[in-house]
């Protein structure tokens, strides 16, 4: 596959996964649970595969900033399920999601280590 295809797939998947996570915070009723969790899981898998595809095509190895992004991905992936279990803590979880997304963006833009 082409490098640009992996980058576009990664960016679109990350944006959609973030959107699904925030939508789960907004509509955390139990009847929406299955749809949100399935969509989040599929998008999370696409983020993972396309992210490592981009890194493989760039020949970077596994730098420190990518490890931080991997942790951010893990946390963001788990937050959708937490939205349905911890409905009383949705404001705190949505703030955490925003901070996690900001950290991931800073890591990819600045690549500090």
């Amino acid at each position: 596959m082409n490098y640009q295809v992996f980058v576009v797939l990664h960016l679109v998947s990350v944006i959609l996964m973030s959107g699904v996570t925030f939508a789960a915070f907004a509509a955390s009723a139990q009847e929406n649970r299955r749809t949100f969790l399935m969509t989040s899981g599929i998008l999370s898998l696409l983020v993972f595969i396309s992210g490592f595809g981009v890194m493989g095509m760039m020949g970077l190895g596994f730098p420190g900033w990518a490890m931080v992004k991997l942790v951010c991905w893990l946390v963001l992936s788990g937050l959708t399920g937490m939205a349905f279990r911890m409905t009383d803590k949705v404001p705190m979880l949505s703030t955490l999601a925003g901070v996690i997304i900001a950290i991931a963006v800073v890591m990819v833009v600045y690549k500090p280590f």
Side-chain angles (χ1 to χ4, degrees), residues 70-86:
L70 185 65
V71 170
C72 291
W73 166 77
L74 285 170
V75 172
L76 192 61
S77 295
L79 284 177
T80 305
M82 293 172 90
F84 295 102
R85 289 187 179 86
M86 303 170 70

Side-chain angles (χ1 to χ4, degrees), residues 94-113:
S94 61
T95 303
L96 177 63
V99 169
I100 290 297
I101 292 168
I103 290 171
V105 169
V106 167
M107 288 296 123
V108 77
V109 170
Y110 292 109
K111 296 177 179 63
F113 43 89

